[in-house]
Amino acid sequence: MELHRIGESLDRVRQYNPLIHNITNVVVTNFTANGLLALGASPVMAYAKQEVADMAKIAGALVLNMGTLNELEVEAMLIAGKSANEHGVPIIFDPVGAGATPYRTETARKLVNELAISIIRGNAAEIANTIGEEWQIKGVDAGAGEKDVISLAIAAAKHLQTIVAITGKTDVISNGEKTYLIHNGHPILTKVTGTGCLLTSVMGAFAAVEKDTLAAGVHALVCYGVAAELAAHKAGQEGPGSFQIAFLNTLATMTSDDVHRMGKVERRK
Ligand code: ATP
Ligand code: TZP
Ligand code: MG
Ligand code: MG
């Protein structure tokens, strides 16, 4: 993966300002909208079953996030998702908390079965539980698992016939054939809620401007991780509150040159 292509994708997000339709959770809504705006995308949150098909079809990407799911929202996700599929709009799915309760696990499996999803992004437990494997999860945070995460990402991509991104200290993304590891990021990301959810929406912004969806996923993961490293440096020892603000600022100010200098991508297999 050439690092200059990653910077070019970042520039394209800013140039084209893609509309990203999010059906997401109540915890992260404002952070997600601000993060997408900072990056250069145009967020919209729309949930009513009367309008989601119309919104999804004009979006550059549809992001489905089941963090605080309920019956009406799941219904809206299916309507929006079918419209996105009909109109060639990529769907990015975050199965938040899959495995934590039977309802979450069943819903994640229903969505992946009924919709053609372009990228599914979650922690290892969420991805494992979505494909029917055991992996401990504590609420919405990944717990311990048996299998190695690279094998899990490849197996899940093959099982779901899509691109799977499993994030954590090292991010892994695979389409079942090609697999990349991204060694960017910072541990303080784990101290701000919604950093995983915002990342899923950022993947939507990159998928809206890059037709090669695997490349779009890699580009999003690298830019996000680099932004976190720069922001952690700026926030110093001040803690998660200052980091959150610095991170939003850095999504807006980071350059393709930063990505070129700091991006760490490894091709596997
Ligand atoms: P979880 O609920 O398990 O925290 P999540 O949905 O919040 O999952 P993360 O895996 O935390 O998603 O990923 C969000 C971002 O945080 C990604 O960019 C990832 O690379 C980064 N990240 C997570 N943990 C670490 C870590 N220990 N060191 C560096 N970066 C990390
Ligand atoms: N509870 C339900 S959704 C949510 C919480 C805390 C946010 C999870 O966000 P992330 O990005 O997975 O940390
Ligand atoms: Mg996290
Ligand atoms: Mg999450």
Side-chain angles (χ1 to χ4, degrees):
M1 180 79 43
E2 303 116 41
L3 290 172
H4 72 87
R5 281 193 62 204
I6 305 178
E8 285 167 12
S9 286
L10 174 64
D11 291 340
R12 273 204 303 285
V13 172
R14 290 170 175 165
Q15 184 186 349
Y16 293 115
N17 185 226
L19 179 69
I20 309 304
H21 177 191
N22 301 269
I23 300 182
T24 189
N25 70 73
V26 299
V27 183
V28 306
T29 306
N30 179 267
F31 182 56
T32 301
N34 278 327
L36 285 170
L37 277 174
L39 183 73
S42 178
V44 64
M45 279 58 180
Y47 299 87
K49 67 179 177 190
Q50 291 84 350
E51 69 166 351
V52 286
D54 293 322
M55 190 65 80
K57 76 179 179 198
I58 58 163
L62 171 68
V63 177
L64 303 178
N65 176 310
M66 40 171 247
T68 49
L69 77 181
N70 60 56
E71 208 175 339
L72 281 179
E73 203 173 277
V74 175
E75 193 187 344
M77 285 184 187
L78 288 166
I79 296 168
K82 283 175 183 155
S83 171
N85 283 165
E86 274 165 32
H87 294 89
V89 175
I91 302 177
I92 321 298
F93 176 47
D94 191 330
V96 184
T101 64
Y103 181 49
R104 281 176 193 263
T105 311
E106 282 156 24
T107 301
R109 291 183 192 165
K110 186 180 175 70
L111 289 168
V112 295
N113 284 334
E114 294 195 19
L115 301 173
I117 286 167
S118 295
I119 306 178
I120 167 167
R121 189 222 60 92
N123 62 43
E126 290 161 345
I127 300 298
N129 281 287
T130 301
I131 61 164
E133 293 198 9
E134 293 283 309
W135 198 296
Q136 201 187 315
I137 184 159
K138 180 180 175 191
V140 298
D141 290 328
E146 295 285 302
K147 208 167 174 177
D148 92 85
V149 174
I150 300 173
S151 310
L152 175 62
I154 296 169
K158 285 185 175 155
H159 181 96
L160 299 170
Q161 301 263 287
T162 188
I163 292 165
V164 172
I166 300 180
T167 55
K169 185 173 184 299
T170 299
D171 301 330
V172 185
I173 183 165
S174 180
N175 63 3
E177 301 296 326
K178 291 188 205 166
T179 302
Y180 294 92
L181 305 190
I182 290 89
H183 300 283
N184 292 106
H186 193 281
I188 200 166
L189 281 166
T190 66
K191 300 296 176 200
V192 177
T193 192
T195 51
C197 300
L198 171 57
L199 170 57
T200 305
S201 290
V202 164
M203 293 181 114
F206 279 81
V209 300
E210 169 60 63
K211 280 198 172 20
D212 176 346
T213 313
L214 180 60
V218 174
H219 297 179
L221 291 168
V222 173
C223 288
Y224 202 82
V226 166
E229 289 170 32
L230 289 166
H233 182 72
K234 280 190 230 164
Q237 298 306 310
E238 289 195 350
S242 299
F243 170 76
Q244 183 174 15
I245 301 297
F247 185 55
L248 286 177
N249 289 336
T250 309
L251 286 172
T253 56
M254 69 186 296
T255 63
S256 48
D257 190 49
D258 292 327
V259 177
H260 199 261
R261 199 165 29 88
M262 296 169 65
K264 292 188 199 122
V265 186
E266 181 190 342
R267 170 85 195 263
R268 273 296 168 101
K269 220 176 161 198

